[in-house]
Amino acid sequence: MKRTSFGLALVLLLAACGGDSGGADDPTTTTAPATTTTVDGASTAATTSTSATTTIAADVHPVFGVSWASVFPDAGETAIYRVTRFDGSNEDLPAVFEYGVDFRGATVDRLVVGTAEPGNEGWALYFDRSEPWILSVIASEVYDPAIAGGPSLTEFFAEPIPFDGTIGVGEVFTIESRITLEFDGGGDTTLDVRYTMTPAAIEESVTVPFGTLEEVLRLDAEVGGEFIGGLFQVKLWLHPDHGLVRFEGAPAWDVMELVETWG
């Protein structure tokens, strides 16, 4: 497998955390205990230390004061990303969030970059966002223009894998689970996988086709397990107004960079 589905899931969470340049007023410092959750026979653990207002709405982020519902673009809004393929060529592709779509009998949401249809170039990430600040990843599909019958690769979990959108810079989130890979032409395999992510630093500026952006959060992630045979490094850059602006180790491509922001 060339890439893992979790890269953009992590992007969504960290972009959500920085979804507004404003912060909460009069914060009170709180420390949450370490928690362990079993997901499909595997454990997830995260330790969180955050600043929060004493009284907040159920869907408001405890540090940034941003509503979970406001994080996601309206239906029909699009962005443009320049994708760099593994051979070095590139293409500008549209991105869109689609809400209330079907995935194997379940009604979920998805992010699509390119065209997620057989015989086209694209990628789709399926997720559940019904619980505020928890993004639960369900599946990923990669589409290849050379494959006319369906996705070239589908990855999915027996139970959605939750990611906590409230972890802070310098903290670490680790999850271990099992992932099933289905390949074009038949055949599938289920394997152990481990993901570790760290919101690493706030960088002064990052330049992408959209322009030079200041105060951009860099997220470092490692993916390991049977299907990789080692550790694969992923890096993502997120801006409070534009979300994902650069993605090294994208699921279907080598690099993704923002060309036109959401609107």
Side-chain angles (χ1 to χ4, degrees):
M1 186 178 113
K2 293 179 179 178
R3 294 292 185 263
T4 173
S5 64
F6 271 76
L8 198 51
L10 304 179
V11 167
L12 292 173
L13 286 171
L14 271 294
C17 290
D20 193 300
S21 58
D25 294 330
D26 301 323
T28 298
T29 300
T30 62
T31 300
T35 59
T36 300
T37 305
T38 299
V39 179
D40 190 24
S43 63
T44 67
T47 302
T48 307
S49 177
T50 62
S51 296
T53 54
T54 55
T55 303
I56 58 175
D59 79 331
V60 173
H61 192 277
V63 176
F64 295 98
V66 181
S67 167
W68 179 234
S70 72
V71 165
F72 297 89
D74 292 335
E77 289 189 350
T78 61
I80 302 292
Y81 286 92
R82 180 162 301 161
V83 301
T84 300
R85 306 182 184 95
F86 301 107
D87 64 2
S89 61
N90 55 58
E91 187 85 19
D92 290 355
L93 298 176
V96 64
F97 282 90
E98 298 178 348
Y99 305 118
V101 301
D102 177 78
F103 182 78
R104 303 189 180 191
T107 300
V108 298
D109 301 325
R110 72 175 185 172
L111 170 67
V112 175
V113 181
T115 303
E117 297 177 0
N120 289 272
E121 182 175 16
W123 174 61
L125 176 72
Y126 294 84
F127 58 92
D128 174 27
R129 60 188 176 112
S130 58
E131 182 177 355
W133 302 104
I134 299 294
L135 189 80
S136 295
V137 177
I138 298 168
S140 167
E141 295 174 333
V142 175
Y143 288 83
D144 189 318
I147 306 298
S152 59
L153 174 65
T154 301
E155 310 164 283
F156 66 90
F157 301 92
E159 297 291 337
I161 302 299
F163 284 90
D164 185 347
T166 63
I167 67 172
V169 174
E171 297 181 30
V172 177
F173 184 92
T174 299
I175 184 168
E176 296 178 347
S177 190
R178 290 179 64 78
I179 188 171
T180 296
L181 285 67
E182 293 182 348
F183 302 94
D184 170 67
D188 62 71
T189 185
T190 301
L191 301 167
D192 293 327
V193 65
R194 177 185 178 92
Y195 306 94
T196 300
M197 79 167 183
T198 304
I202 304 294
E203 297 191 351
E204 289 187 5
S205 66
V206 171
T207 299
V208 294
F210 179 74
T212 297
L213 300 168
E214 298 179 348
E215 296 187 357
V216 180
L217 173 66
R218 191 186 84 240
L219 169 68
D220 294 345
E222 287 185 345
V223 186
E226 297 175 85
F227 71 102
I228 288 182
L231 290 176
F232 178 77
Q233 307 293 325
V234 178
K235 292 185 182 295
L236 314 111
W237 286 261
L238 306 130
H239 188 272
D241 296 326
H242 306 291
L244 170 66
V245 297
R246 181 176 171 84
F247 187 177
E248 294 181 0
W253 306 282
D254 194 27
V255 179
M256 286 174 51
E257 295 180 298
L258 185 67
V259 176
E260 296 181 13
T261 194
W262 295 91

